[in-house]
Amino acid sequence: MRVQEHCTDRLLDAGRELFARNGYDGTSVRAIASKAKANLGAITYHFGSKHVLYYAVLSLLMKPLGKRIHFSLLSERPPLDKVESVVRVFFDHIRSNPDMPAIIIREMASGRPVPKLVSETMGEVLRQLSSVIKEGQASGTIRAGDPLLLALSCVAQPIYLNLARRAIAAAAGLDQGDAGVFHRVVEHAAETVRASLRAS
């Protein structure tokens, strides 16, 4: 059993790295098996197909993010604090999963339908965030506006700043691989979101 689990983990790790580097279409079963030092039939044996392995990789990236955001919104705090916590969770999760931006960029550029897991996770995040924004609007702490669009604007900050991090590093010299720069970017994004939502 442990040997099988170890092989499954190696396949997932290899899949993550290769899907991030080459995309789904550019990654072959043979390349994944070779990278994982596994038999060519290991993917079929453990996952059934490359597609199922890819979905498992997406699940490793998206499900923990959805859970972390859900729990960050459960606490008894002012709505603006909850929204800020979502921004920080996005940054922290992506920093902990550095291959996530490349996989998401390649997925968006593929032209394929958005995987159900991704759309469901992001849809739930937006629903929860919209609810918190409505709560803040009702209490007078968050400005008027369409809660869904305001929620989209909030998550756009960490998503854009992470997906475009290589271009930002090249153009602006802000390398988020540096801990100090990363901290500056997170604090800026958190304050920008707060300022854009704060009732005047």
Side-chain angles (χ1 to χ4, degrees), residues 163-181:
L163 294 186
R165 63 191 306 164
R166 289 181 61 204
I168 291 169
L174 294 171
D175 179 8
Q176 293 182 59
D178 178 274
V181 172

Side-chain angles (χ1 to χ4, degrees), residues 84 88 182-192:
E84 180 181 329
R88 293 181 181 279
F182 177 75
H183 177 73
R184 283 174 57 202
V185 170
V186 173
E187 293 306 313
H188 167 77
E191 181 50 39
T192 297

Side-chain angles (χ1 to χ4, degrees), residues 9-24 35 54 56-62 91-107 162-163 165-166:
D9 290 342
R10 291 202 320 270
L11 290 168
L12 286 167
D13 289 344
R16 280 178 69 144
E17 181 179 336
L18 293 174
F19 290 138
R21 186 190 309 159
N22 306 317
Y24 177 82
K35 182 77 177 173
Y54 182 66
V57 167
L58 290 179
S59 180
L60 287 173
L61 296 173
M62 298 303 298
F91 273 104
D92 185 64
H93 182 75
I94 295 174
R95 186 173 178 80
S96 300
N97 295 275
D99 46 11
M100 186 174 180
I103 289 175
I104 297 302
I105 286 173
R106 291 184 180 282
E107 185 59 44
N162 276 288
L163 294 186
R165 63 191 306 164
R166 289 181 61 204

Side-chain angles (χ1 to χ4, degrees), residues 47-118:
F47 294 96
S49 68
K50 181 178 87 166
H51 178 75
V52 175
L53 171 60
Y54 182 66
Y55 193 87
V57 167
L58 290 179
S59 180
L60 287 173
L61 296 173
M62 298 303 298
K63 284 188 175 180
L65 174 62
K67 288 179 181 177
R68 290 184 65 186
I69 288 174
H70 174 72
F71 285 116
S72 76
L73 294 175
L74 290 177
S75 61
E76 292 294 329
R77 289 180 294 165
L80 274 175
D81 290 351
K82 289 183 180 182
V83 173
E84 180 181 329
S85 74
V86 170
V87 173
R88 293 181 181 279
V89 165
F90 260 102
F91 273 104
D92 185 64
H93 182 75
I94 295 174
R95 186 173 178 80
S96 300
N97 295 275
D99 46 11
M100 186 174 180
I103 289 175
I104 297 302
I105 286 173
R106 291 184 180 282
E107 185 59 44
M108 290 190 304
S110 71
R112 292 188 301 272
V114 176
K116 187 177 179 182
L117 175 66
V118 175

